[in-house]
Amino acid sequence: MVAVKVNEDLQRERDSGTFNTEELTNLLDGGKEKTQERRELVDFFVHDPTFKDDVPHEYLSHVERYEESVRKSCLLFYKINEWQEKKKSGGSVDLYQAVLGGNIGSAILKDGMPLALHFVMFVPTIMGQGTIEQQAHWISKAWNCQILGTYAQTELGHGTFIRGLETTAHYDPDTDEFILHSPTLTSYKWWPGGLGHTANYAVVVAQLYTKGKCHGIHPFIVQLRDTENHEPLPGIIIGEIGCKLGMNGTNNGYLGFDQVRIPREHMLMKNAKVLKDGTYVKSPGDKLTYGTMIFVRVALIKGIAAAYLSKAVTIATRYSAVRKQSELRPGEPEPIILEYKTQQYKIFPHIASSLAMVFSARWIWDMYNNVSSELEQGDLERLPELHALSCCLKAVCTADAARAVDECRRACGGHGFMTCSSFPTTYGMVTAAETYEGENTVLFLQTARFLMKAWQKVIERQPLAPTVKYLEKYSERRLPWTNDLPSLVTAFQQVATGLTKDVTELVNRDVASGHIQEDVWNRYSNRLVIAAEFHGRCFLVQKFCDQLSNPELSSELRNVLGALCELYAVYWLLKYLGHFLLHSNLRSTDVPSVMNWQEKLLEEIRPNAVSLVDSFDIDDEILASPLGAWDGNVYERMFEEAKRSPLNAKPVNDSFHKYLKPFLNSNL
């Protein structure tokens, strides 16, 4: 292998690091073994030459992009099978998540994958909501890809408010069948990935009617296309929804039903059931049907928000260590732009944010698995807490990631605007997550309901769920402010508590005075959103802080992580300064010292900036950006990318002879 010369400025930055990057890599992965496993997966999948693009995907037509996505997806599943045979292991949700989600999948299918929902939602829904018999019938077919599924819930007229879905499923006891129908245009399913032209089955969420009564939404397995010729089945109206800001390889589709009949056994009946005579047997817990949505929201925090943000900060940091601009001091050589405090402020807080997301995602993933086990035993006690936390963390992390990716793009100047920089694709992928699997504002409001109930328990001195126990500590008493991490953690808890307390009291007061509860809720909805957001930020700060007490950390890494944790908290404190002045120990006279603290933290982190993003250990094929490659040869790589443009295939484009030359000779 030919040795690649690394840019001298970038190498100088690496040499200035004060900690072992491999130690942080192992911490982020969850251990040395996990790091090794991930690297093996990257080498096996991402470095396979069959996945290389002859023409960059941005130069393909819409149809070509889809066809290329299908080709690569099929190859990817062959590779997964090859990996399982190599490792002598069976298929697992974890393997498919690792390959299809996050960095590996994004490297192979940069613009989205039409088969992703098959394993991300179709299979998990059947596993979570199907009976043992239904799982035995469907899961083997799904694992072996004898059928390809998607998850059809969102409609043209309804998304996050799933109780308002219009698709109907009427039970006919004479034939032992459900009749699926789309009564209006707005009832057409809209958005499911792979629905357009890829999937031949779907889990369809519809309003269940039996014996003349509606029992709310329930999931049904529905065949959409013929398994031989792929033609839509009778009564199935199906197609693709068209171009989007990003994810144009995902094949999002629409789906309508015209009196489509399916067997009664195709209703997933692990929870609620419909007997042959039409009798409806209610689920022991009406919230159990939301398990798949919680699973996806939890997966989004690390698989989308943290993964794509880590890519963005890696590109921006490495580029900033190579790009030189202006004169910091008159007459001296142009410095790398990472020397400018404004550039550090644009990037360093987002490095910290990426770490905060990884640590929080790991904790909530463990909680999800524990609660799922409890649900299997019929214990629903912790489900509301998990639902509330997954809602606000999904909303906070996806919004922060989208905002940060765009700020990293702008930190790279004009070059960040180029598609080859990877920023446009990265932004398109991460901002999409702000609205799918629950629109963020609505998710915050769902968390707010949980927080209001929790505050009522504080008043009544009832026990609280672990993630809201900080509400019990609230006190009007102000303590002297100190610039340290314990003060920051306390401040975030005080703000989260104060916002929850104030809005709950306002809502209760207005309802008690005779106002309609729904109108009151709408009146204070902006306050409810910010209370829920701070519950999420409080959690992120706490989980980052918890990492610092890990006894296995070296002192060097602990110091670096400590500075990043402080920067993360200080950054958001100053962004939301008004709330901290109202609710925390912070006083206006303390603000200048906090601003100085932030500037000192930027200086402290500065020598380790490149080492930190190196610790994310993102392969060049995954970054897919000449601005952020390991060797720092930005300009050489950009020029090579430019030469790949189809317009450079020949020196004179046909349009010159067709249009430009006659125009130039027209003597206008």
Side-chain angles (χ1 to χ4, degrees):
M1 185 175 178
V2 179
V4 177
K5 186 177 186 330
V6 176
N7 177 279
E8 292 180 359
D9 292 305
L10 185 58
Q11 187 58 53
R12 192 177 301 113
E13 291 296 318
R14 289 197 171 108
D15 294 341
S16 73
T18 64
F19 70 98
N20 183 345
T21 58
E22 187 72 5
E23 182 185 359
L24 180 52
T25 300
N26 295 159
L27 178 66
L28 295 174
D29 285 328
K32 291 181 180 179
E33 297 79 10
K34 295 284 187 182
T35 296
Q36 181 62 31
E37 181 182 332
R38 174 181 55 78
R39 286 173 176 164
E40 285 183 27
L41 285 170
V42 169
D43 189 58
F44 186 80
F45 288 96
V46 177
H47 294 165
D48 188 327
T50 60
F51 292 124
K52 297 294 184 288
D53 294 322
D54 294 327
V55 178
H57 78 279
E58 58 264 30
Y59 295 117
L60 302 179
S61 71
H62 186 62
V63 172
E64 289 171 333
R65 286 193 192 194
Y66 168 65
E67 292 172 349
E68 184 66 2
S69 294
V70 172
R71 182 188 75 84
K72 285 187 176 182
S73 296
C74 292
L75 287 174
L76 185 57
F77 282 109
Y78 288 132
K79 287 286 290 183
I80 290 174
N81 191 58
E82 187 181 337
W83 172 268
Q84 290 167 182
E85 291 177 356
K86 174 185 175 183
K87 293 293 183 179
K88 296 180 173 53
S89 64
S92 71
V93 174
D94 288 343
L95 173 61
Y96 286 104
Q97 271 190 279
V99 176
L100 304 184
N103 286 334
I104 294 178
S106 71
I108 296 170
L109 292 128
K110 297 179 178 63
D111 208 19
M113 182 183 184
L115 299 183
L117 258 64
H118 177 72
F119 281 104
V120 173
M121 294 197 74
F122 182 72
V123 171
T125 301
I126 297 172
M127 292 174 67
Q129 300 191 45
T131 63
I132 297 297
E133 294 77 16
Q134 288 174 323
Q135 291 181 40
H137 178 76
W138 294 107
I139 294 298
S140 61
K141 293 182 179 181
W143 276 125
N144 296 330
C145 294
Q146 293 172 273
I147 62 174
L148 294 174
T150 185
Y151 184 83
Q153 176 172 289
T154 298
E155 296 175 354
L156 186 56
H158 286 90
T160 305
F161 182 59
I162 58 176
R163 283 182 293 151
L165 297 179
E166 298 176 81
T167 301
T168 58
H170 286 267
Y171 179 63
D172 181 355
D174 294 334
T175 60
D176 198 24
E177 294 174 318
F178 287 104
I179 306 169
L180 272 74
H181 188 62
S182 305
T184 64
L185 178 62
T186 52
S187 69
Y188 275 45
K189 298 299 179 183
W190 196 272
W191 280 116
L195 177 62
H197 291 273
T198 311
N200 53 16
Y201 275 80
V203 169
V204 175
V205 179
Q207 300 284 359
L208 168 64
Y209 286 84
T210 180
K211 293 187 175 182
K213 182 178 179 182
C214 179
H215 296 281
I217 58 169
H218 290 72
F220 303 83
I221 296 181
V222 185
Q223 185 175 354
L224 308 176
R225 294 177 177 271
D226 187 281
T227 54
E228 291 297 323
N229 59 29
H230 211 53
E231 289 288 337
L233 296 182
I236 300 292
I237 306 126
I238 194 169
E240 197 229 19
I241 64 173
C243 289
K244 308 170 293 294
L245 176 65
M247 302 181 72
N248 283 297
T250 307
N251 193 222
N252 301 92
Y254 63 79
L255 172 65
F257 300 98
D258 183 9
Q259 308 293 340
V260 175
R261 289 178 173 267
I262 61 171
R264 176 175 59 89
E265 292 80 7
H266 283 206
M267 172 183 164
L268 294 176
M269 297 195 198
K270 178 179 180 180
N271 301 314
K273 299 176 177 62
V274 172
L275 305 182
K276 190 169 183 177
D277 66 353
T279 300
Y280 178 74
V281 181
K282 188 177 180 181
S283 167
D286 58 357
K287 300 297 184 184
L288 290 173
T289 54
Y290 299 138
T292 304
M293 299 298 290
I294 294 176
F295 163 75
V296 177
R297 287 167 188 160
V298 170
L300 280 176
I301 299 167
K302 185 177 182 182
I304 296 294
Y308 283 97
L309 177 53
S310 64
K311 286 174 64 174
V313 294
T314 298
I315 295 167
T317 303
R318 288 179 179 168
Y319 176 78
S320 299
V322 173
R323 179 72 171 184
K324 296 179 179 180
Q325 187 166 302
S326 304
E327 295 178 342
L328 193 56
R329 299 185 185 92
E332 292 190 0
E334 292 180 275
I336 58 172
I337 58 177
L338 199 57
E339 294 291 357
Y340 293 99
K341 287 291 185 290
T342 51
Q343 191 76 351
Q344 295 168 20
Y345 181 73
K346 290 175 185 176
I347 300 173
F348 294 179
H350 302 317
I351 296 176
S353 184
S354 182
L355 292 168
M357 290 179 193
V358 171
F359 298 143
S360 294
R362 185 180 301 155
W363 191 94
I364 195 173
W365 182 252
D366 289 341
M367 180 185 182
Y368 169 80
N369 288 324
N370 292 334
V371 172
S372 295
S373 298
E374 292 167 6
L375 293 178
E376 293 294 329
Q377 307 303 317
D379 182 358
L380 310 181
E381 183 179 351
R382 295 211 301 168
L383 184 60
E385 180 188 21
L386 173 62
H387 176 254
L389 188 59
S390 67
C391 282
C392 72
L393 282 185
K394 181 269 182 184
V396 169
C397 292
T398 56
D400 285 359
R403 188 183 304 113
V405 167
D406 193 51
E407 189 158 8
C408 287
R409 174 190 67 80
R410 286 182 275 120
C412 294
H415 294 333
F417 191 65
M418 295 190 68
T419 302
C420 72
S421 73
S422 194
F423 282 118
T425 303
T426 301
Y427 180 75
M429 295 293 285
V430 76
T431 193
E434 294 187 84
T435 47
Y436 66 68
E437 307 316 322
E439 191 275 332
N440 281 359
T441 300
V442 177
L443 292 186
F444 277 135
L445 291 172
Q446 291 184 26
T447 300
R449 291 186 188 278
F450 176 79
L451 292 176
M452 288 180 62
K453 292 176 182 177
W455 185 252
Q456 192 61 38
K457 289 183 178 180
V458 172
I459 295 172
E460 297 170 359
R461 299 187 182 280
Q462 296 181 24
L464 293 175
T467 55
V468 288
K469 281 193 75 66
Y470 66 85
L471 295 174
E472 295 175 334
K473 302 177 185 177
Y474 184 76
S475 171
E476 297 293 341
R477 185 168 62 90
R478 293 258 183 154
L479 301 173
W481 175 264
T482 52
N483 284 350
D484 55 29
L485 198 50
S487 283
L488 286 170
V489 173
T490 298
F492 273 83
Q493 292 177 343
Q494 287 175 323
V495 172
T497 305
L499 291 168
T500 297
K501 171 181 177 291
D502 287 356
V503 74
T504 303
E505 290 176 350
L506 286 170
V507 170
N508 290 343
R509 181 199 66 190
D510 285 13
V511 170
S513 63
H515 294 281
I516 298 172
Q517 185 164 355
E518 291 75 12
D519 290 342
V520 174
W521 183 263
N522 184 43
R523 180 181 305 156
Y524 296 116
S525 56
N526 288 315
R527 299 193 192 201
L528 290 161
V529 164
I530 195 66
E533 178 184 341
F534 261 88
H535 176 58
R537 296 204 180 281
C538 185
F539 182 86
L540 284 157
V541 169
Q542 183 63 63
K543 292 308 162 193
F544 201 152
C545 186
D546 289 348
Q547 287 295 318
L548 304 180
S549 60
N550 183 343
E552 297 181 3
L553 290 183
S554 67
S555 58
E556 294 84 0
L557 181 55
R558 194 188 313 278
N559 290 337
V560 174
L561 291 180
L564 285 163
C565 184
E566 291 174 11
L567 178 62
Y568 179 78
V570 168
Y571 176 83
W572 287 109
L573 181 154
L574 292 173
K575 286 285 188 184
Y576 287 103
L577 185 57
H579 294 302
F580 284 88
L581 291 174
L582 279 174
H583 295 291
S584 77
N585 296 329
L586 187 75
R587 297 180 182 274
S588 59
T589 52
D590 299 316
V591 175
S593 71
V594 176
M595 297 176 74
N596 291 336
W597 188 12
Q598 179 173 253
E599 290 162 1
K600 289 177 182 176
L601 288 169
L602 294 176
E603 292 176 5
E604 187 176 344
I605 293 165
R606 165 69 185 85
N608 285 302
V610 170
S611 295
L612 283 164
V613 298
D614 283 354
S615 299
F616 292 140
D617 197 31
I618 305 175
D619 190 274
D620 279 355
E621 295 287 342
I622 293 173
L623 284 177
S625 172
L627 276 62
W630 171 266
D631 60 24
N633 295 322
V634 172
Y635 305 118
E636 295 86 348
R637 287 175 176 271
M638 288 188 69
F639 191 66
E640 288 302 313
E641 281 294 323
K643 290 194 291 186
R644 295 178 71 192
S645 169
L647 278 175
N648 292 325
K650 51 187 179 181
V652 179
N653 183 261
D654 294 343
S655 64
F656 173 77
H657 298 289
K658 289 181 180 179
Y659 310 115
L660 274 179
K661 188 173 182 180
F663 176 74
L664 291 169
N665 293 332
S666 64
N667 294 318
L668 282 179

